[in-house]
Amino acid sequence: MSVARGVYVLLCAVMLSVVVLGVAQAEAPVQSPALLVAKSLSAAFAEVAAHVTPAVVNISSTRVEPGRRLPSSSLFRDFFPEFLDMVEPSREVQSLGSGVILRPDGYIVTNCHVIQGAQENTVKLASEVEYPAKLVGQDPFTDLAVIKIDATNLATVSLGDSGRLRVGEWVIAVGSPLGLAQTVTQGIVSALGRRNIGITDYEDFIQTDAAINPGNSGGALVNLDGELVGINTAIASEGGGYDGVCFAIPSSVVKTVTEALIRDGKIQRPWIGLMSRELRKDQWERLGVAERSGVFVYNLVRNGPAHRAQIQPGDVLLKWGSQQLTDRARLSELIQKTPIGTKVTVLLQRNGQRYSAEITIGERPANVQMKGLL
């Protein structure tokens, strides 16, 4: 073979090799470090979702709303006198929510507002199997409730430590928004210890931007270890849908409340029988409170612990023991951490003068559920 022909054959072989190598490289997936990290995070989300979803249930609650007396204007009475005493018939109303299986023998935690007032509660598992559920106990103060179904060997989610959460940490929400069971969304912890939201009497919420909509209430908020760090409870929204501001009850509160409800069917709530109201800066100035903070006493329960301690409407509570009181949320937190029967000395201001009073912490009566009552 001539040199020229040999060179030609060699060049053809090199060109073919380049083409084949180029095709092989084009078909090979991109494996940049950034993409590998993204794929790893995606795989983590999928792994957590697969672990958690079997333990998150759909809850359908049915309650009966009593009929209302129909309005009877003068015009209505003139033309339809036979309808004066008509009453609208009662009707069944169904609501949907979510729950998380805590124990394999059928104990489920959800929000109190999901099942409150319901005559029937039905739980649907991830397997589509349905069970009737009975109420074990509820705590409107924290908006938590425990229900139970007659089943065994159920998938569960272990409780994590919400106290170890950090702002910016990834979290995953699982629930039944708009009735769509086993929906998984993700986001980050936006803030911790959110108070004064106006959702419950005791507020210490985890704020997240994981998408939550009506029906997610009572569902799971988990970390990337697949541990339950919160129970999704509410959203802040202009139109009633997801606006990126969502709130969950921390697992530390969930643990304390659910253990008491499972053990006793109720939870003993410390209280002092007091209602407060937030004040503006100019109102603090008119009261002559130099700190411009504290708890303004708006009203009292007759013969409640604060009333027996001779606290009066118009007083401003400044200290709880040695703890400075900044607002109502701080007082609520301190009351809940104080055992029933404990005597606490409070510093208060009345008509420009400062006094001390001793309050003995009482147990909140079961029939007293008025929101805002400490």
Side-chain angles (χ1 to χ4, degrees):
M1 181 172 63
S2 66
V3 174
R5 182 175 175 79
V7 171
Y8 174 76
V9 172
L10 180 60
L11 286 173
C12 288
V14 170
M15 290 176 65
L16 180 62
S17 298
V18 170
V19 171
V20 171
L21 181 59
V23 171
Q25 288 178 339
E27 292 179 349
V30 179
Q31 297 293 342
S32 70
L35 187 58
L36 289 174
V37 171
K39 285 184 175 181
S40 176
L41 182 59
S42 178
F45 287 149
E47 186 177 337
V48 172
H51 171 71
V52 173
T53 50
V56 179
V57 303
N58 176 276
I59 299 175
S60 175
S61 299
T62 304
R63 69 181 189 276
V64 177
E65 288 191 349
R68 297 173 300 171
R69 185 172 297 279
L70 296 174
S72 54
S73 65
S74 58
L75 181 64
F76 196 87
R77 286 196 299 269
D78 291 340
F79 287 95
F80 304 100
E82 66 273 22
F83 290 115
L84 288 182
D85 295 323
M86 280 198 65
V87 176
E88 189 181 54
S90 59
R91 61 193 181 102
E92 281 192 353
V93 177
Q94 283 196 328
S95 60
L96 295 175
S98 307
V100 183
I101 303 172
L102 290 178
R103 290 180 15 178
D105 54 349
Y107 285 94
I108 297 167
V109 61
T110 185
N111 280 138
C112 189
H113 74 259
V114 169
I115 53 85
Q116 199 165 31
Q119 278 74 40
E120 294 180 0
N121 293 303
T122 301
V123 168
K124 181 188 287 188
L125 303 181
S127 62
E128 299 291 321
V129 178
E130 294 187 356
Y131 292 90
K134 67 177 182 179
L135 177 64
V136 175
Q138 56 185 322
D139 180 33
F141 197 80
T142 56
D143 195 21
L144 288 171
V146 174
I147 58 177
K148 189 179 187 306
I149 60 175
D150 189 13
T152 56
N153 299 318
L154 297 174
T156 63
V157 176
S158 59
L159 280 173
D161 183 1
S162 56
R164 298 180 62 185
L165 281 175
R166 296 179 300 166
V167 173
E169 181 176 341
W170 285 104
V171 285
I172 295 174
V174 186
S176 303
L178 309 176
L180 301 171
Q182 309 303 309
T183 296
V184 178
T185 57
Q186 57 78 23
I188 63 169
V189 174
S190 304
L192 296 167
R194 285 296 194 205
R195 298 180 173 89
N196 295 318
I197 307 298
I199 300 171
T200 59
D201 281 308
Y202 181 74
E203 297 183 334
D204 183 23
F205 291 116
I206 302 165
Q207 182 184 329
T208 175
D209 67 350
I212 294 174
N213 284 286
N216 268 114
S217 292
L221 187 72
V222 299
N223 59 21
L224 290 188
D225 290 320
E227 298 172 327
L228 185 73
V229 292
I231 293 295
N232 298 318
T233 297
I235 57 177
S237 171
E238 294 290 337
Y242 171 70
D243 281 350
V245 181
C246 310
F247 302 102
I249 302 168
S251 59
S252 58
V253 176
V254 175
K255 183 178 187 297
T256 301
V257 172
T258 56
E259 285 179 352
L261 292 178
I262 292 172
R263 183 182 63 248
D264 305 321
K266 65 174 185 176
I267 186 166
Q268 291 182 310
R269 280 276 164 222
W271 86 318
I272 60 174
L274 175 152
M275 293 192 73
S276 67
R277 189 173 68 185
E278 297 297 324
L279 298 182
R280 301 186 308 271
K281 178 181 176 181
D282 61 306
Q283 292 174 315
W284 286 119
E285 291 174 351
R286 285 202 299 270
L287 287 170
V289 178
E291 294 87 345
R292 295 183 183 175
S293 67
V295 177
F296 178 78
V297 179
Y298 176 67
N299 211 339
L300 299 159
V301 174
R302 185 175 298 277
N303 294 323
H307 185 252
R308 290 196 297 268
Q310 299 184 352
I311 306 296
Q312 298 178 12
D315 288 350
V316 177
L317 304 186
L318 301 172
K319 280 189 176 183
W320 179 268
S322 61
Q323 302 292 316
Q324 194 75 34
L325 294 175
T326 53
D327 53 24
R328 178 189 178 282
R330 178 58 174 158
L331 175 59
S332 177
E333 177 186 3
L334 291 169
I335 291 172
Q336 295 310 306
K337 290 180 178 179
T338 307
I340 295 169
T342 304
K343 297 181 185 297
V344 178
T345 300
V346 296
L347 176 67
L348 61 93
Q349 182 165 318
R350 177 187 302 160
N351 298 325
Q353 301 297 316
R354 300 202 168 186
Y355 304 89
S356 292
E358 188 175 76
I359 301 177
T360 301
I361 307 301
E363 179 181 351
R364 184 171 181 144
N367 62 340
V368 177
Q369 300 297 345
M370 185 184 299
K371 190 175 180 181
L373 191 61
L374 300 176

